[in-house]
Amino acid sequence: MEEESGKELGLDRSTPKDFHFYHMDLYDSEDRLQLFSEENTRMRKEVVQAEMANESRGAGDGKAQRDLQEEVDELVHLYGLEDDHELGDEFVDENIPRTGVSEYPPYMMKRRDPAREQRDWRLSGEAAEAEDLGFGGWGSAGQCQDLREAYRYTHGRASEEYECYVIPEEEDEEEAADVFCVTCKTPIRAFQKVFDEHKEHEVIPLNEALESAKDEIHKNMYKLEKQIIEMENFANHLEEVFITVEENFGKQEQNFESHYNEILETLAQKYEEKIQALGKKKKEKLEALYGQLVSCGENLDTCKELMETIEEMCHEEKVDFIKDAVAMADRLGKFLKTKTDVEISAQPEFEDQTLDFSDVEQLMGSINTIPAPSAPVINPQVPNSATGSSVRVCWSLYSDDTVESYQLSYRPVQDSSPGKDQAEFTVTVKETYCSVTNLVPNTQYEFWVTAHNRAGPSPSSECAVYMTAPSPPIIKTKEIRSCEEAVLICWESGNLNPVDSYTVELTQAESPEASGVTESVVGIPTCESMVQLQPGRSYIIYVRALNMGGPSVRSEPATVHTIGSYFRLNKDTCHPRLTISEDGLTAVRSERRTPARELSPSDTRFTRCVAVMGNLIPVRGHHYWEVEVDEHLDYTVGVAFEDVPKQEDLGANCLSWCMRHTFASSRHKYEFLHNRTTPDIRITVPPKKIGILLDYENSKLSFFNADLSQHLYTFSCQLHEFVHPCFSLEKPGCLKVHNGISMPKHVTFY
């Protein structure tokens, strides 16, 4: 009976015990579809409260039972269970007793399990909630139980008596892998490293393995793209060879056909000539024989006629016979005197006709069995394969052609100038390479090659552009600037055409291996480079220029010392009244007056104060130099920004910091000027050599009496940009700069 009832509700009692039965609406109300609107809920509550009021006014048990039936019908209607007649009948059947849980049909019996009992607290709460709605004390205990079950059913928390669906227990999702086993090359979980077979294996974080795998894939993709390009190029070469071979064999077929047609025409001509000659000789012989045959026939007829005539005379009378005999004798005498030709004029034997096929044999010999070569494939230029005056050109054949020699042609690549023809040159070689010499440095040349054999030349290859290496650069030794940490080197390209880059090579002069390169700076795009060096060393510097053909030879060497700061005076900033020495370290002011036209305003050249600036290397740190002066000379020394106004005196603005000395009436006056201000400082011993320390790190500029190791003054500067040394002579005289010297010990304290 229990099984039949279960089947009536569509339940399968043979379901394995690992599966639990849940009602279709077992989730919380916020996760369910909103089957009951707020209005329906409110209406249902009002109906229940009204029925409770009727009961309090003395309604009977029958009335309560009918109210319960209506309430259940309403719930069934709202929940959409009108078609479930069997369930509805079982749920509201009046014949079934309502006094106990054991009286429910078998398919509505509760299953006792621990999980059910752990949820009893929910049932007690629901019972209290039912009492709040007015179910408490209404009807019998069975009726209250029915109402509670109906209430739970409508609120999506039906008890397990109404389980209708079989839902398998969901297995816990496997924990995601968080590390990567390098040995096994598989993602694993962290605890497997401790307890599993991966204990002794090398593991790395999963993100690191992911990045490594991406990098590897990108590298492989790059290699694959490169291989694809190579295969495409090879396929293009194969296609060119295929077309060339097809064209060559097509030409050979045409050649054979032409030769054989010529041979056939020659043979036909000889045949016609021989046939005509034979016909002529035949005609001549036959005509001669026919003439003899006709003459012989005529003589034979004459003889027969004479014989018949003589026979007739013999039968005549004597007198007639004698008359006719005399005449016949004369006739016979004349006939017999006629010579009869009985020799055959034309012999029947044929003459031996010798046929001359020498010309035919010559034609046959001219047919070549070796085809003309296919077009060679000239190779692209190999990097670093050229010199300044030569290139090595290589090519290849992608077929089994017989080649006796190659003819390499080349010419300079034409520039944009119209109407300028470039001369072509040709070299014949037997190898598949050729070193072409006597070329112009840093120049592009077009090369193409043809293959030759006795059948003729091949088509020309595609043109390839080769480039000679550049000429060596020229280092501007007078513009080299250095300090203890770096050197700024400049050079001229030495080439008319631009190059790809430059390389600076350095060798330590003190090293026993002075000829070896200890450091190289590559890929320099311009004709200037800042190179970091070690302090207190001497270096020999070379520069090379590079292009697609290769590097040039080394430039002439330049020697650099990283002892102190080294710079020269910048002639581009020099006042016209100043003269700079050849070594760029001495400034001399002459007595002559410069015309006004030479003192026109300028952004680079000083026009007011007779000054000049030095080219200090743009490196932050410490820079020290000394200036040798005459104690009776009016001068100004210091530093200034590059854009300091050239129409103002040094120290008269916020872009310069200077020490000024003036000598008048045997008195020395020293001023430390910045923006036209100076502190009140007196110097008792006039310095003949002034030491200047520029400290970028501490933003200070200090002046010293180098001979006495005496500190004179220190500026606190705002050096937001690089500054340069500056020098001014207010009266005729000279000053000399000493740089590239070590920093004295006494200046390190300031």
Side-chain angles (χ1 to χ4, degrees):
M1 181 66 182
E2 181 178 354
E3 293 180 357
E4 293 178 358
S5 301
K7 291 179 180 180
E8 290 177 358
L9 287 176
L11 301 177
D12 188 1
R13 294 300 180 181
S14 62
T15 304
K17 63 181 181 179
D18 292 338
F19 294 90
H20 297 289
F21 298 91
Y22 297 96
H23 189 269
M24 62 179 291
D25 197 14
L26 54 84
Y27 302 102
D28 292 336
S29 60
E30 60 269 21
D31 297 330
R32 292 185 288 109
L33 294 174
Q34 188 65 27
L35 299 178
F36 300 100
S37 62
E38 295 181 359
E39 182 179 357
N40 292 336
T41 304
R42 180 180 54 79
M43 180 182 68
R44 184 173 67 254
K45 186 174 181 179
E46 292 176 354
V47 171
V48 173
Q49 291 177 352
E51 294 299 333
M52 294 295 295
N54 291 336
E55 182 184 8
S56 63
R57 288 193 298 269
D61 291 340
K63 178 65 174 178
Q65 186 69 22
R66 285 192 301 272
D67 293 340
L68 175 62
Q69 178 67 31
E70 292 176 358
E71 178 69 15
V72 171
D73 290 342
E74 180 183 0
L75 294 176
V76 170
H77 174 70
L78 292 174
Y79 204 75
L81 298 177
E82 293 89 342
D83 296 335
D84 297 340
H85 301 293
E86 296 179 357
L87 179 61
D89 293 342
E90 294 293 342
F91 188 82
V92 299
D93 191 358
E94 296 178 357
N95 297 327
I96 297 177
R98 301 290 182 175
T99 60
V101 176
S102 61
E103 295 178 359
Y104 278 86
Y107 57 84
M108 297 180 65
M109 295 294 291
K110 288 187 178 180
R111 288 193 306 159
R112 305 292 296 175
D113 61 331
R116 171 65 180 173
E117 293 178 359
Q118 289 177 3
R119 295 194 298 271
D120 286 342
W121 62 274
R122 294 182 60 188
L123 298 180
S124 63
E126 292 165 357
E129 188 175 359
E131 289 179 1
D132 294 338
L133 293 175
F135 291 111
W138 178 47
S140 63
Q143 292 172 345
C144 292
Q145 179 69 19
D146 291 341
L147 290 176
R148 289 191 186 98
E149 294 297 340
Y151 177 78
R152 296 190 193 103
Y153 189 85
T154 58
H155 281 71
R157 295 190 295 269
S159 61
E160 293 184 2
E161 291 88 344
Y162 309 108
E163 296 165 347
C164 299
Y165 290 92
V166 178
I167 302 177
E169 289 185 345
E170 295 182 0
E171 298 182 0
D172 294 338
E173 293 185 1
E174 185 177 356
E175 184 180 352
D178 50 4
V179 295
F180 183 80
C181 178
V182 179
T183 306
C184 300
K185 298 186 182 303
T186 182
I188 61 174
R189 288 173 285 180
F191 74 87
Q192 291 180 306
K193 166 64 179 174
V194 182
F195 303 104
D196 210 340
E197 67 273 7
H198 305 280
K199 185 175 182 180
E200 303 296 332
H201 295 176
E202 179 186 358
V203 298
I204 58 176
L206 194 61
N207 292 337
E208 182 178 345
L210 179 61
E211 294 298 327
S212 177
K214 289 181 178 180
D215 293 340
E216 187 68 23
I217 290 176
H218 291 162
K219 292 179 181 178
N220 292 333
M221 289 179 63
Y222 173 76
K223 293 179 181 179
L224 184 60
E225 291 176 355
K226 186 176 180 181
Q227 185 174 359
I228 290 173
I229 294 174
E230 292 178 355
M231 294 302 296
E232 288 178 349
N233 293 335
F234 181 70
N236 292 335
H237 287 317
L238 287 180
E239 184 178 358
E240 292 176 359
V241 172
F242 180 87
I243 295 173
T244 303
V245 170
E246 185 179 15
E247 291 177 352
N248 286 340
F249 276 98
K251 293 178 181 178
Q252 192 64 27
E253 290 174 358
Q254 295 177 359
N255 188 25
F256 284 167
E257 183 178 358
S258 175
H259 279 77
Y260 280 119
N261 289 336
E262 187 176 356
I263 291 173
L264 292 177
E265 290 177 0
T266 303
L267 289 175
Q269 183 179 357
K270 287 185 172 294
Y271 171 79
E272 292 294 334
E273 292 176 356
K274 292 298 181 182
I275 290 298
Q276 291 178 4
L278 289 175
K280 185 177 180 180
K281 291 182 178 180
K282 173 184 175 182
K283 182 179 180 180
E284 291 176 354
K285 284 192 175 185
L286 291 179
E287 288 179 351
L289 292 174
Y290 181 76
Q292 284 188 325
L293 181 61
V294 170
S295 177
C296 181
E298 291 177 351
N299 291 333
L300 182 61
D301 292 340
T302 302
C303 290
K304 288 182 178 181
E305 181 184 358
L306 292 174
M307 287 296 295
E308 291 177 356
T309 303
I310 292 173
E311 289 179 358
E312 290 179 356
M313 288 175 55
C314 290
H315 295 287
E316 291 181 355
E317 294 295 333
K318 293 180 179 181
V319 177
D320 294 331
F321 177 78
I322 293 173
K323 292 179 180 180
D324 293 333
V326 174
M328 183 58 67
D330 294 334
R331 185 178 176 186
L332 285 175
K334 292 179 180 181
F335 177 77
L336 293 175
K337 289 179 179 180
T338 304
K339 185 177 180 181
T340 304
D341 186 9
V342 292
E343 296 291 336
I344 299 176
S345 61
Q347 298 295 326
E349 293 83 4
F350 291 99
E351 298 178 359
D352 187 10
Q353 299 292 330
T354 302
L355 300 178
D356 184 10
F357 289 103
S358 59
D359 49 354
V360 177
E361 292 175 356
Q362 184 178 0
L363 288 174
M364 292 293 293
S366 64
I367 300 178
N368 297 285
T369 58
I370 299 176
S374 58
V377 178
I378 195 164
N379 300 337
Q381 184 175 12
V382 178
N384 303 326
S385 63
T387 66
S389 60
S390 66
V391 295
R392 180 181 173 88
V393 185
C394 301
W395 58 89
S396 57
L397 280 175
Y398 287 96
S399 61
D400 297 330
D401 292 337
T402 300
V403 178
E404 297 177 358
S405 64
Y406 297 94
Q407 189 172 7
L408 178 65
S409 302
Y410 63 96
R411 64 187 174 195
V413 175
Q414 291 185 350
D415 54 16
S416 58
S417 301
K420 187 176 180 180
D421 296 333
Q422 299 289 350
E424 295 185 3
F425 305 91
T426 302
V427 180
T428 301
V429 295
K430 292 185 177 297
E431 298 81 10
T432 56
Y433 61 89
C434 180
S435 294
V436 183
T437 58
N438 299 323
L439 303 178
V440 180
N442 198 36
T443 303
Q444 291 183 333
Y445 288 86
E446 283 183 326
F447 288 88
W448 64 96
V449 64
T450 55
H452 294 258
N453 62 16
R454 61 183 180 180
S458 70
S460 297
S461 67
E462 296 290 335
C463 289
V465 176
Y466 279 57
M467 192 170 192
T468 53
S471 299
I474 302 172
I475 298 178
K476 300 178 181 179
T477 55
K478 294 184 178 181
E479 297 184 15
I480 293 178
R481 294 175 276 172
S482 64
C483 62
E484 293 185 349
E485 302 167 356
V487 61
L488 180 61
I489 182 172
C490 304
W491 59 86
E492 294 179 356
S493 174
N495 296 272
L496 296 177
N497 298 324
V499 299
D500 294 342
S501 64
Y502 298 92
T503 298
V504 175
E505 299 176 353
L506 302 98
T507 302
Q508 291 191 25
E510 303 87 357
S511 175
E513 303 85 8
S515 60
V517 176
T518 59
E519 182 180 357
S520 295
V521 181
V522 300
I524 303 172
T526 61
C527 293
E528 182 179 278
S529 177
M530 179 84 72
V531 182
Q532 300 297 322
L533 301 176
Q534 297 180 6
R537 304 291 178 88
S538 294
Y539 292 88
I540 300 176
I541 297 180
Y542 306 90
V543 181
R544 296 180 188 265
L546 289 88
N547 61 14
M548 62 178 295
S552 69
V553 298
R554 282 179 170 182
S555 66
E556 292 296 325
T559 302
V560 174
H561 306 282
T562 56
I563 302 173
S565 299
Y566 180 81
F567 63 88
R568 292 173 181 262
L569 300 178
N570 187 357
K571 295 182 179 181
D572 294 335
T573 63
C574 182
H575 190 280
R577 294 181 185 176
L578 285 180
T579 302
I580 307 301
S581 63
E582 186 66 24
D583 61 2
L585 299 176
T586 302
V588 180
R589 177 172 178 176
S590 61
E591 297 285 349
R592 65 184 177 87
R593 307 286 296 181
T594 305
R597 59 183 178 83
E598 295 185 14
L599 300 177
S600 59
S602 173
D603 293 334
T604 59
R605 185 183 296 273
F606 285 98
T607 57
R608 178 179 178 83
C609 63
V610 184
V612 65
M613 298 183 72
N615 271 332
L616 186 64
I617 185 171
V619 174
R620 294 189 177 274
H622 297 83
H623 300 279
Y624 178 80
W625 64 92
E626 295 177 352
V627 184
E628 183 180 346
V629 295
D630 189 333
E631 60 181 4
H632 302 298
L633 180 68
D634 291 353
Y635 59 84
T636 303
V637 294
V639 298
F641 288 109
E642 186 174 4
D643 57 349
V644 64
K646 304 301 189 295
Q647 295 80 29
E648 299 180 6
D649 292 332
L650 294 175
N653 48 62
C654 61
L655 300 179
S656 58
W657 296 260
C658 300
M659 171 184 171
R660 176 187 291 176
H661 169 258
T662 56
F663 179 75
S665 302
S666 301
R667 297 183 59 182
H668 298 273
K669 180 181 179 181
Y670 293 92
E671 297 175 290
F672 294 92
L673 296 170
H674 175 64
N675 205 12
R676 297 184 181 274
T677 60
T678 179
D680 186 11
I681 295 178
R682 298 181 184 274
I683 299 176
T684 59
V685 180
K688 296 181 179 179
K689 185 179 290 186
I690 303 170
I692 302 175
L693 174 63
L694 175 61
D695 186 357
Y696 277 105
E697 294 179 357
N698 299 310
S699 298
K700 292 183 178 181
L701 177 68
S702 301
F703 296 88
F704 302 88
N705 186 333
D707 294 330
L708 300 179
S709 302
Q710 179 186 13
H711 174 251
L712 301 178
Y713 184 74
T714 297
F715 284 103
S716 294
C717 313
Q718 297 296 327
L719 303 176
H720 55 278
E721 295 179 0
F722 290 107
V723 293
H724 296 281
C726 56
F727 312 90
S728 173
L729 291 174
E730 308 304 330
K731 293 181 180 180
C734 70
L735 58 80
K736 183 176 179 61
V737 179
H738 296 271
N739 54 27
I741 57 179
S742 299
M743 186 183 305
K745 293 182 179 180
H746 65 270
V747 304
T748 58
F749 297 99
Y750 300 94

